Amino acid sequence: VMQACGQPTLNPPVNVLLQDLTVSRIDSVFDQKNEEYKSQDLEVLINEICKNLNGTLLIAKGDSVIFRRTTGLVRFYENKKGYEKWTQAEMNAAKKKASNKLKNDTFYELASISKQFTAAAILKLAEEKKLALTDTLNSIFPELPYKNITIQHLLSHTSGLPEYFDFPVSYFDTSQILTNQHLIEVLSREKPKIQFLPGYNYKYTNTNYALLYSVIEKISGESYEEYVQKNLFLPAGMTQTFFVSQIEDNSNKSIAKGHLRNKEELKRYYLDGTMGDKGIYSTPEELLKWKTAYFTRKKIIPEKLLAKASSKQNFIKGKGVAKEIYGYGLRIEENPHYGKLIYHGGLWRGYQNLMIYRPSDDLFIVFLSNYRNNAHKGKSNDILHIIDGV
């Protein structure tokens, strides 16, 4: 599906000499042609990307969708792992079903793109004066053995907490899905050491945002799902987005299954249950609604807090600037060619996603894929190159 890029048709009047056209009229003709060429170049690029992409691409300026393309399958049914009892004929038949095609309303696990929602919920609680970013983790969860880690440290990945994905399997009961409460119990019981003193380094760690989930529940007195739904999703008009904890309630929807490069479909896993760092299912259109409400119209949190979320917050004591710029649930790049870009990727269990927002022209790019084959890796620069004409 493609929607035309740019302005309405502006053809020169018939039988009018070029020298008789006004400068503004000539400019408008050239502008129109330039937009047509950009549209053609974008279509060629997107056709090339879609040769390998299994997923969805959406490009929008403001509220207008410039391009939207969905291609591929919900489930591959190719790698026999996980389908040991299936015959090849059964797999082929399941693969060819119409319901197995990705659609515009297919849902993807957002993976780490989810972090911006957790950060926004924390900032909402700060706006409501229910917490301060200087509050310590230990003051909220005294059972945790970590001193001087603040909410600010968690938001900006400067806490020093180790990555829970990397904990020994013996820390967990793998017979059941891990919850955020279970994670707090693991941290309290096993007391894994911090990697550096809070504020003295930067290391992107999912543990930070899994703990922020629990902070939201403890401070708000509501479940994470209830608080985020009420304070973020509903004001943004995101009526379809849901959580991994609600996946069975949404089983009637088309939900893409994650696949590795070898096309192995990844089954439910004991680390799938934690949220805050991941665990939200959505579509590109729902994310466009979020972009409009959060960034463009600034209706979720006050502009002052949004400015903090979308600017450098991972300051390092004694060093100043970390190589990577991280705000609150958002990465930031000051690109010499394309200007300031606010973005976040998402990799989890076969999903490979990217969301980019450019404030200068309200440009929004989303890739959501259920096949970790790097089909769109580096392609956002190619898209920006065409749009900017540089």
Side-chain angles (χ1 to χ4, degrees), residues 77-213:
Y77 296 107
E78 282 189 33
N79 190 310
K80 285 292 286 185
K81 190 172 182 180
Y83 297 100
E84 289 83 358
K85 296 180 181 179
W86 289 51
T87 66
Q88 191 63 49
E90 287 172 331
M91 291 173 67
N92 291 344
K95 183 176 182 176
K96 291 175 182 176
K97 283 185 177 179
S99 59
N100 195 43
K101 287 187 177 180
L102 293 174
K103 306 173 185 66
N104 286 351
D105 61 353
T106 296
F107 289 80
Y108 301 80
E109 154 75 82
L110 296 183
S112 288
I113 289 178
S114 305
K115 287 183 170 72
Q116 65 193 291
F117 299 109
T118 302
I122 288 286
L123 295 173
K124 189 75 181 171
L125 288 168
E127 180 200 352
E128 296 167 348
K129 308 293 186 190
K130 292 181 179 176
L131 59 73
L133 302 191
T134 52
D135 289 347
T136 64
L137 181 62
N138 194 246
S139 69
I140 301 168
F141 296 105
E143 65 269 34
L144 292 176
Y146 306 109
K147 308 293 183 186
N148 303 319
I149 293 176
T150 65
I151 291 174
Q152 161 76 20
H153 291 138
L154 296 174
L155 284 167
S156 59
H157 295 291
T158 56
S159 71
L161 286 167
E163 176 58 77
Y164 78 97
F165 292 170
D166 299 333
F167 289 174
V169 176
S170 60
Y171 282 13
F172 305 104
D173 177 1
T174 57
S175 68
Q176 60 179 321
I177 298 294
L178 184 72
T179 66
N180 294 71
Q181 181 55 40
H182 289 151
L183 179 59
I184 288 180
E185 292 166 8
V186 167
L187 292 168
S188 178
R189 182 182 69 243
E190 304 293 344
K191 300 177 174 55
K193 292 181 180 178
I194 60 171
Q195 299 169 305
F196 50 84
L197 290 173
Y200 281 85
N201 211 333
Y202 162 79
K203 186 171 178 58
Y204 180 92
T205 308
N206 289 283
T207 312
N208 294 312
Y209 275 73
L211 286 174
L212 286 170
Y213 167 106

Side-chain angles (χ1 to χ4, degrees), residues 116 294-295 306-307 309-311 327-334 339-345 354-360 363-365:
Q116 65 193 291
Y294 192 52
F295 294 110
L306 177 62
S310 54
S311 62
Y328 296 150
L330 297 163
R331 297 182 183 275
I332 296 98
E333 179 182 341
E334 293 288 352
K340 181 178 181 178
L341 304 174
I342 300 168
Y343 71 102
H344 215 292
L354 178 64
M355 189 201 93
I356 300 172
Y357 171 63
R358 184 164 66 175
S360 62
L363 180 69
F364 189 61
I365 302 170

Side-chain angles (χ1 to χ4, degrees), residues 150-324:
T150 65
I151 291 174
Q152 161 76 20
H153 291 138
L154 296 174
L155 284 167
S156 59
H157 295 291
T158 56
S159 71
L161 286 167
E163 176 58 77
Y164 78 97
F165 292 170
D166 299 333
F167 289 174
V169 176
S170 60
Y171 282 13
F172 305 104
D173 177 1
T174 57
S175 68
Q176 60 179 321
I177 298 294
L178 184 72
T179 66
N180 294 71
Q181 181 55 40
H182 289 151
L183 179 59
I184 288 180
E185 292 166 8
V186 167
L187 292 168
S188 178
R189 182 182 69 243
E190 304 293 344
K191 300 177 174 55
K193 292 181 180 178
I194 60 171
Q195 299 169 305
F196 50 84
L197 290 173
Y200 281 85
N201 211 333
Y202 162 79
K203 186 171 178 58
Y204 180 92
T205 308
N206 289 283
T207 312
N208 294 312
Y209 275 73
L211 286 174
L212 286 170
Y213 167 106
S214 297
V215 170
I216 290 164
E217 292 203 325
K218 187 76 175 282
I219 298 299
S220 71
E222 301 177 63
S223 72
Y224 175 88
E225 294 94 326
E226 288 170 338
Y227 189 83
V228 169
Q229 188 86 36
K230 182 173 66 179
N231 292 283
L232 307 185
F233 292 169
L234 289 180
M238 298 167 67
T239 57
Q240 300 301 310
T241 300
F242 61 93
F243 306 89
V244 68
S245 58
Q246 302 166 339
I247 200 161
E248 290 181 9
D249 297 333
N250 289 274
S251 59
N252 60 322
K253 294 179 178 176
S254 172
I255 302 173
K257 308 296 182 184
H259 299 78
L260 296 179
R261 182 182 281 275
N262 65 4
K263 296 194 173 180
E264 175 191 345
E265 179 183 321
L266 295 175
K267 306 300 182 184
R268 194 98 158 104
Y269 181 60
Y270 73 96
L271 292 178
D272 279 342
T274 42
M275 290 186 281
D277 55 333
K278 53 182 172 56
I280 292 176
Y281 283 76
S282 195
T283 68
E285 275 75 16
E286 289 276 285
L287 289 176
L288 179 57
K289 291 176 184 176
W290 170 251
K291 183 279 301 181
T292 300
Y294 192 52
F295 294 110
T296 311
R297 295 180 185 156
K298 302 173 177 64
K299 43 186 295 198
I300 305 299
I301 56 174
E303 189 167 356
K304 185 178 179 181
L305 288 175
L306 177 62
K308 293 186 76 171
S310 54
S311 62
K312 179 179 176 62
Q313 298 300 331
N314 55 334
F315 301 102
I316 300 171
K317 289 180 182 176
K319 296 182 183 177
V321 180
K323 283 187 179 180
E324 295 177 18

Side-chain angles (χ1 to χ4, degrees), residues 7-24:
Q7 302 171 3
T9 303
L10 290 169
N11 294 314
V14 180
N15 298 325
V16 175
L17 296 174
L18 188 62
Q19 60 264 33
D20 293 334
L21 291 173
T22 64
V23 172
S24 63

